């Protein structure tokens, strides 16, 4: 049975690997011009031992903890030195617990890792934050339709 | 042992803003215990799981897929599971033998003819299909199965490691197996009395992931569809006492607000039953949890 080349390309498979003939096929490509910056994450301190201004997450990684120099420093004996971090992956923001002693919680649930959504409550030590996604600029993603040979 | 939710929705994928918190992909879990990797069901969530593995793999993928049953929302992602097309990878696939065939024949039939353009034979990974039994071992993990009441049947899985116990009981309508089902039907507020075998299967779980598709008020009109109302789930939790319970298989009609309301309903019934030492929450796509006794968070200062 003949395999579908477009489908296999979606799975990052080569046509030759799948044993299918190479044929002309219409294809829509999404071209991403650099990291997609449509949204920025904002971490708003809500309650606890710290009193922090909102942190806009524009870097690929920010760390929360007691260690001096981290993006979200906490004067909190319940927080580990490097307690948790937020990684940016395009428009997604992923919270990771860094093997902290007292855990990282999202909406009261202890997590190892969590893709954050707007409105999430994040607890680190004795501090509570609210996460928000905000529009942070124009889309840099373009749809390009071509007829490939 | 950790578990990651790649798909939490029931019945059909439900993308969109109304479901972005709990997720729109159908059933798929990734369980890791050291080097041992299990995938429970291949709903639409398995596509992103496979893509993540392909991006991060530093060597051949070795994993075991366990199927609870083969309704669409539990298999529809299988043909899109990229690691299965990569030679050098090894996948062991467990599923229940049915009258129509074994797991290989049944999965192959979903990728045949008019249904899908790529046949199972295009998968270049080493695929080892095996029938499930009551109990078997995968690396360090002891697996037990239990037949759940669901149209066509469904297997529950209990996964035991040295550091935790996970029970996965999706797609079940436990009211139909309750010893006092007539009383419950007459008065849905009545506490269910479940069969001892079910309670034994669930008891000792650090994390119970359980079908909680319907709000209580929705259930009567959906009786026989094979899914639980939240009161049933709470009664199971009260009798089997998991340390954590994840409400799962969210109804495709339910918005994030409705799923959150379901959790609130669960809290209310748990409190009325006097259960206060259990963490109950709605399963959420994109979340990884450790399977073990959860520590309560620190008390917040003001």
């Amino acid at each position: 049975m003949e395999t579908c080349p477009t489908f296999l390309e979606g799975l990052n498979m080569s046509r030759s690997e799948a044993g299918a003939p190479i044929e002309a096929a219409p294809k829509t490509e999404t071209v991403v011009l650099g990291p997609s910056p449509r949204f920025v994450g904002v971490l708003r301190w809500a309650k606890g031992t710290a009193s922090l201004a909102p942190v806009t997450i524009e870097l690929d990684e920010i760390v929360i903890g007691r260690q001096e120099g981290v993006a979200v420093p906490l004067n909190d004996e319940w927080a580990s030195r490097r307690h948790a971090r937020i990684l940016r992956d395009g428009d997604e923001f992923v919270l990771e617990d860094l093997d902290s002693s007292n855990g990282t919680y999202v909406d009261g649930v202890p997590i190892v890792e969590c893709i954050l959504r707007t409105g999430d409550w994040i607890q680190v030590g004795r501090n509570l934050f609210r996460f928000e996604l905000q529009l942070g600029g124009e889309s840099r993603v373009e749809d390009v339709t071509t007829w490939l040979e | 042992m950790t578990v990651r939710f790649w798909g939490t929705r029931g019945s059909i994928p439900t993308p969109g803003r109304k479901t972005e918190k709990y997720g729109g992909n159908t059933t798929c879990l990734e369980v890791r215990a050291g080097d041992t990797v299990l995938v429970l069901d291949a709903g639409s969530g398995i596509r992103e799981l496979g893509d993540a593995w392909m991006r991060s793999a530093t060597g051949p993928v070795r994993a075991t897929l366990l199927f609870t049953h083969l309704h669409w929302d539990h298999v529809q992602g299988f043909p899109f599971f990229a690691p299965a097309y990569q030679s050098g990878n090894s996948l062991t696939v467990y599923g229940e033998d049915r009258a129509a065939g074994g797991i290989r024949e049944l999965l192959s039939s979903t990728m045949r003819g008019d249904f899908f353009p790529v046949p199972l034979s295009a998968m270049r990974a080493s695929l080892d299909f095996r029938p499930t039994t009551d109990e078997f071992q995968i690396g360090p993990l002891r697996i037990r199965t239990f037949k759940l009441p669901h149209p066509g049947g469904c297997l529950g899985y209990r996964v035991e490691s040295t550091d935790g116990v996970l029970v996965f009981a999706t797609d079940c309508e436990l009211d139909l197996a309750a010893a006092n089902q007539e009383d419950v039907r007459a008065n849905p507020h009545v506490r269910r009395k479940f069969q001892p075998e079910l309670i034994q299967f669930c008891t000792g779980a650090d994390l119970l992931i359980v079908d909680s598709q319907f709000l209580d008020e929705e259930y009567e009109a959906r009786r026989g569809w094979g899914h639980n109302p939240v009161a049933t789930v709470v009664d199971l939790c009260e009798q089997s006492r998991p340390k954590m319970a994840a409400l799962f298989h969210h109804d495709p009609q339910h918005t994030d607000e409705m799923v959150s309301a379901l959790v609130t309903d669960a809290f209310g019934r748990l409190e009325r039953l006097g259960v206060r030492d259990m963490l109950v929450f709605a399963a959420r796509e994109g979340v990884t949890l450790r399977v073990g006794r959860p520590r309560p968070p620190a008390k917040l200062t003001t």
Side-chain angles (χ1 to χ4, degrees):
Chain A
M1 185 180 292
E2 198 170 292
T3 52
C4 170
T6 306
F7 169 78
L8 291 165
E9 282 168 12
L11 293 171
N12 298 317
M13 301 290 293
S14 68
R15 294 179 174 107
S16 57
E17 196 170 357
I22 297 174
E23 298 171 354
K27 185 181 179 188
T28 299
E29 289 185 309
T30 299
V31 179
V32 181
L33 307 173
S36 173
R38 286 182 298 170
F39 292 96
V40 293
V42 180
L43 199 58
R44 293 186 187 280
W45 176 83
K47 200 173 180 183
T49 59
S51 182
L52 300 168
V55 177
T56 301
I57 306 165
E58 290 171 308
L59 301 173
D60 289 341
E61 172 186 318
I62 66 163
V63 173
I64 307 167
R66 278 193 297 114
Q67 183 174 291
E68 199 173 319
V70 300
V72 186
L74 298 176
N75 179 18
D76 178 355
E77 71 274 19
W78 285 76
S80 297
R81 290 172 57 77
R82 290 171 59 83
H83 191 109
R85 65 179 178 174
I86 298 176
L87 299 170
R88 180 188 177 128
D89 180 12
D91 277 341
E92 283 194 334
F93 294 83
V94 181
L95 175 67
E96 277 184 14
D97 180 73
L98 296 174
D99 283 328
S100 67
S101 300
N102 293 311
T104 301
Y105 296 78
V106 174
D107 292 348
V109 178
I111 58 96
V112 174
E113 189 175 301
C114 177
I115 298 174
L116 294 170
R117 306 292 181 205
T118 259
D120 282 344
W121 291 101
I122 299 170
Q123 185 171 343
V124 172
R126 301 178 79 180
N127 284 276
L128 187 67
F129 299 86
R130 192 165 175 86
F131 177 80
E132 292 174 9
L133 275 177
Q134 290 184 352
L135 276 174
E138 292 179 9
S139 171
R140 297 180 67 204
V141 180
E142 294 179 359
D143 287 332
V144 181
T145 303
T146 57
W147 186 268
L148 300 177
E149 291 186 14
Chain B
M1 181 161 58
T2 62
V3 59
R4 183 182 177 96
F5 295 100
W6 290 93
T8 60
R9 191 65 51 174
S11 307
I12 191 168
T14 53
R17 295 289 301 276
K18 292 176 181 173
T19 57
E20 68 183 6
K21 178 167 182 171
Y22 295 105
N25 278 308
T26 61
T27 301
C28 182
L29 308 181
E30 176 187 12
V31 175
R32 287 183 175 268
D35 293 335
T36 302
V37 183
L38 307 182
V39 178
L40 288 152
D41 279 343
S44 64
I46 200 172
R47 184 186 65 82
E48 289 190 44
L49 163 63
D51 291 351
W53 284 1
M54 295 294 275
R55 283 194 302 272
S56 64
T58 54
V61 169
R62 298 187 193 289
T64 300
L65 276 65
L66 303 175
F67 281 94
T68 61
H69 66 311
L70 301 181
H71 282 168
W72 279 112
D73 49 328
H74 299 260
V75 300
Q76 62 200 158
F78 183 70
F80 298 89
F81 184 48
Y85 292 88
Q86 189 81 48
S87 61
N89 292 339
S90 301
L91 302 171
T92 306
V93 183
Y94 282 91
E96 201 176 15
D97 275 342
R98 298 296 180 98
I103 182 69
R104 180 187 174 89
E105 290 73 32
L106 293 168
L107 281 176
S108 178
S109 69
T110 68
M111 299 175 69
R112 190 180 295 149
D114 293 326
F115 293 109
F116 200 71
V118 181
L120 186 72
S121 59
M123 290 183 160
R124 300 296 174 87
S126 166
L127 300 175
D128 179 9
F129 294 91
R130 300 183 185 183
T132 51
T133 53
D134 291 346
E135 191 172 326
F136 51 100
Q137 194 82 19
I138 300 172
L141 302 176
R142 179 180 180 230
I143 313 290
R144 286 171 54 197
T145 60
F146 186 83
K147 290 184 188 300
L148 296 166
H150 186 69
C154 178
L155 284 181
Y157 283 96
R158 181 183 174 103
V159 181
E160 298 180 1
S161 74
T162 53
D163 63 345
V165 175
L166 167 69
V167 173
F168 183 45
T170 188
D171 290 60
C172 53
E173 187 171 4
L174 299 177
D175 275 16
L176 301 186
N180 61 339
Q181 59 178 289
E182 294 308 320
D183 296 341
V184 171
R185 182 151 198 189
N187 177 4
H189 301 295
V190 166
R191 179 177 175 273
R192 281 88 177 148
K193 294 176 185 165
F194 296 114
Q195 57 195 119
E197 294 82 4
L198 172 65
I199 299 303
Q200 187 187 24
F201 182 73
C202 297
T203 295
D206 293 292
L207 174 61
L208 169 66
I209 302 171
V210 57
D211 181 318
S212 314
Q213 183 154 340
F214 301 130
L215 292 158
D216 290 340
E217 57 268 32
E218 294 173 321
Y219 176 60
E220 188 54 36
R222 293 161 175 78
R223 180 178 289 274
W225 290 20
H227 303 287
N228 293 319
V230 68
T232 305
V233 172
V234 170
D235 290 358
L236 177 65
C237 289
E238 187 259 335
Q239 289 166 56
S240 62
R241 297 294 175 133
K243 296 179 184 71
M244 296 188 284
L247 310 184
F248 189 79
H249 207 270
H250 307 312
D251 191 282
Q253 304 284 359
H254 285 181
T255 62
D256 288 333
E257 287 72 22
M258 292 171 78
V259 174
S260 294
L262 201 134
V263 178
T264 304
D265 287 355
F267 288 161
R269 189 171 177 91
L270 278 169
E271 196 163 41
R272 286 192 294 279
L273 292 171
V275 179
R276 292 187 176 81
D277 57 348
M278 191 182 298
L279 178 59
V280 175
F281 54 93
R284 175 173 156 174
E285 197 175 309
V287 168
T288 304
L289 305 173
R290 195 169 306 288
V291 179
R293 178 184 289 277
R295 290 178 61 154
K299 191 175 177 186
L300 292 169
T301 56
T302 52

